Amino acid sequence: MTENPAPQATAEAEVVDICRDLIRIDTTNPGDHSGPGERVAAEHVAGLLAEVGLEPTVLESHPKRTSLVARIEGEDPSRPALLIHGHLDVVPADADDWHRDPFGGEVADGCVWGRGAVDMKDMDAMVLAVMRQRLREGRKPKRDVVLAFTADEEAGGKWGARYLTQEHPGLFEGVTEAIGEVGGFSVTVGDQRLYALQTAEKGLAWMRLTATGTAGHGSMIHGDNAVTEVAEAVARIGRHEWPVQLPDSTRAFLTAASAALGVEFDPQDPGSVLGKLGGMSRMIGAAMKNTTNPTGLKAGYKVNVIPQSATAEVDGRFLPGHEEEFFAEVDRMLGTAVKREFIHHDISLETTADGDLYDAMSASLLAEDPQAKVAPYCLSAGTDAKWFSQLGVRCFGFSPLKLPPELDFSGMFHGIDERVAVDGLRFGVRVLDRFLDLA
């Protein structure tokens, strides 16, 4: 790893090295406890914070599954506290598919490369760099700030944010608002740069579908074949055309994108704008409707044996306010022969694009990029905000990055050759530093 920067280093000077070091610590989360865990990364982060006078609380929910929390005193401790959270785990990466070592933290072509570069060790690094500089200089935020670096976000947060909020809620005493992933990044629409602030995210329903039938010889006729039942249910679900339903946040983003293109937004034809958003169209398109994507099938053990049961896995995501109708439609498609159970189930979130915190996020972005515009949007995936919201915390996605127009940012998430621009990291540091003076 790189040596720790000199104590006088600025946030802009050290953010790249912090990001590289975090990427080099393998925190792959396969969805169980078979990975390396987050312990080494959490201890590294705790050390960076201890160097500037903090005493982080390091908590292990399961061997190697480690999170940490630290509180920074603000100018006015009587005000409600702000939570800034980021996760330490990453999804798996197959090095054979990458052009560069996914855990090398290399700098090339103006970017830091590696698994976690955008999801979300970039934000972890920016927060650490900013807080280290502010603490060295004795600059307090406006109010208390709680920092949380969590385990297990990529598998739903059971061993990270859920553990913290359910077993150690006192660490978040007084917190009323939070920022985390995924928002504050730029999207170029026409000649206009828009910064997408996350004010909503879809709910999550990872489901296991199971059918049972009569086991028997493959040469005979069987009217209750479990494989057939599951296959038909999966086909119905996978091909289902969910209707377009626009959350307020999605409508607001499409309206802003239309204005950037010089046209009026037509809610009856949102696809006319969607097709002009480049890679961002995947994120926004998935935030216009519920989705159900089959992701796995399992049945049988020999070609001439009809199995007694067959299973499938489906990744379902539902829009804010549409959970009940989502499951009603899924059950209709399943019929009576296939049962579902949850692998993981979590809530959707949506807040309004207003208030002092939203204004502070907008102002800090526009101070660095005055010609840009800011618009709310709905994330098609999920974050640890789901758990923190259950403590009564109002959550936003704000991990600021100014991105080159040609970069397919949405494709970086869980993708091959994940990378973040060095200039984007330094931009984010400046934005976050100003944000803490306003929030």
Side-chain angles (χ1 to χ4, degrees):
M1 290 186 183
T2 55
E3 295 181 0
N4 287 329
Q8 67 271 21
T10 65
E12 284 192 66
E14 72 172 3
V15 66
V16 171
D17 280 343
I18 293 175
C19 186
R20 295 178 72 194
D21 284 349
L22 288 173
I23 289 170
R24 288 167 176 166
I25 301 172
D26 184 356
T27 53
T28 297
N29 183 359
D32 52 24
H33 301 307
S34 64
E38 300 85 2
R39 181 85 200 184
V40 175
E43 290 176 344
H44 179 70
V45 170
L48 291 174
L49 295 175
E51 285 177 2
V52 289
L54 294 183
E55 297 181 1
T57 300
V58 179
L59 296 162
E60 196 168 75
S61 57
H62 185 278
K64 302 184 296 181
R65 310 311 303 277
T66 312
S67 304
L68 74 149
V69 180
R71 184 178 287 256
I72 299 168
E73 184 179 330
E75 292 178 354
D76 183 0
S78 68
R79 289 183 58 193
L82 171 70
L83 170 64
I84 302 178
H85 61 95
H87 62 85
L88 297 172
D89 62 322
V90 297
V91 297
D94 186 343
D96 291 340
D97 295 333
W98 288 54
H99 288 92
R100 301 184 182 277
D101 181 357
F103 299 103
E106 296 179 47
V107 176
D109 302 325
C111 294
V112 181
W113 294 61
R115 178 58 85 216
V118 299
D119 189 12
M120 61 172 299
K121 291 180 176 179
D122 58 339
M123 176 62 167
D124 295 338
M126 291 189 292
V127 171
L128 288 165
V130 168
M131 289 306 186
R132 280 166 58 84
Q133 179 175 347
R134 293 181 72 98
L135 288 165
R136 284 193 297 262
E137 296 173 353
R139 290 191 293 130
K140 292 184 176 182
K142 290 286 189 181
R143 49 174 161 161
D144 281 10
V145 171
V146 176
L147 304 179
F149 296 90
T150 63
D152 199 40
E153 189 276 343
E154 295 292 3
K158 177 180 179 180
W159 304 100
R162 188 181 85 163
Y163 170 77
L164 292 178
T165 55
Q166 293 186 353
E167 302 298 327
H168 300 277
L171 293 171
F172 307 98
E173 183 178 356
V175 171
T176 59
E177 296 173 306
I179 63 167
E181 58 176 356
V182 177
F185 59 90
S186 66
V187 182
T188 302
V189 181
D191 296 325
Q192 177 71 65
R193 202 159 31 246
L194 296 178
Y195 285 91
L197 287 183
Q198 185 201 325
T199 56
E201 60 184 62
K202 294 173 78 174
L204 191 153
W206 292 342
M207 297 173 284
R208 181 176 293 109
L209 312 182
T210 303
T212 57
T214 303
H217 200 287
S219 67
M220 300 180 186
I221 297 172
H222 287 263
D224 58 347
N225 189 312
V227 176
T228 302
E229 294 291 355
V230 159
E232 289 177 344
V234 166
R236 288 193 295 270
I237 286 175
R239 294 196 178 102
H240 183 65
E241 288 291 333
W242 291 93
V244 171
Q245 297 169 304
L246 299 179
D248 291 344
S249 47
T250 302
R251 183 184 296 267
F253 185 86
L254 290 172
T255 300
S258 297
L261 293 167
V263 298
E264 185 175 350
F265 174 58
D266 180 2
Q268 303 304 314
D269 185 22
S272 62
V273 179
L274 192 66
K276 299 175 183 178
L277 297 181
M280 186 64 178
S281 64
R282 291 193 295 272
M283 249 186 208
I284 299 299
M288 292 167 49
K289 57 176 68 176
N290 298 325
T291 56
T292 41
N293 287 308
T295 55
L297 288 167
K298 184 178 180 181
Y301 55 89
K302 196 170 186 293
V303 68
N304 64 343
V305 178
I306 296 173
Q308 188 173 10
S309 66
T311 63
E313 293 176 353
V314 174
D315 184 334
R317 312 279 174 144
F318 51 87
L319 294 168
H322 294 277
E323 181 173 1
E324 185 176 342
E325 66 189 64
F326 170 81
F327 285 116
E329 183 64 7
V330 167
D331 289 342
R332 185 195 67 78
M333 289 187 283
L334 291 180
T336 58
V338 179
K339 307 300 180 185
R340 65 172 169 86
E341 61 181 319
F342 289 125
I343 299 170
H344 185 76
H345 175 214
D346 223 330
I347 60 174
S348 61
L349 294 177
E350 185 163 30
T351 187
T352 50
D354 57 17
D356 292 342
L357 193 70
Y358 187 88
D359 292 344
M361 290 186 286
S362 299
S364 61
L365 285 166
L366 297 179
E368 287 295 325
D369 195 354
Q371 304 307 312
K373 302 291 183 183
V374 175
Y377 90 108
C378 176
L379 178 67
S380 58
T383 74
D384 278 339
K386 296 180 186 302
W387 295 111
F388 294 118
S389 72
Q390 295 180 47
L391 295 179
V393 177
R394 186 185 186 204
C395 297
F396 294 91
F398 185 59
S399 305
L401 288 172
K402 184 179 180 182
L403 302 169
E406 66 276 7
L407 181 69
D408 180 8
F409 183 62
S410 65
M412 293 292 101
F413 287 83
H414 300 187
I416 295 169
D417 291 338
E418 184 180 350
R419 60 197 182 275
V420 63
V422 168
D423 288 345
L425 289 171
R426 293 172 177 156
F427 170 87
V429 159
R430 296 193 299 271
V431 171
L432 285 172
D433 189 48
R434 182 175 283 107
F435 167 75
L436 288 169
D437 287 333
L438 298 174

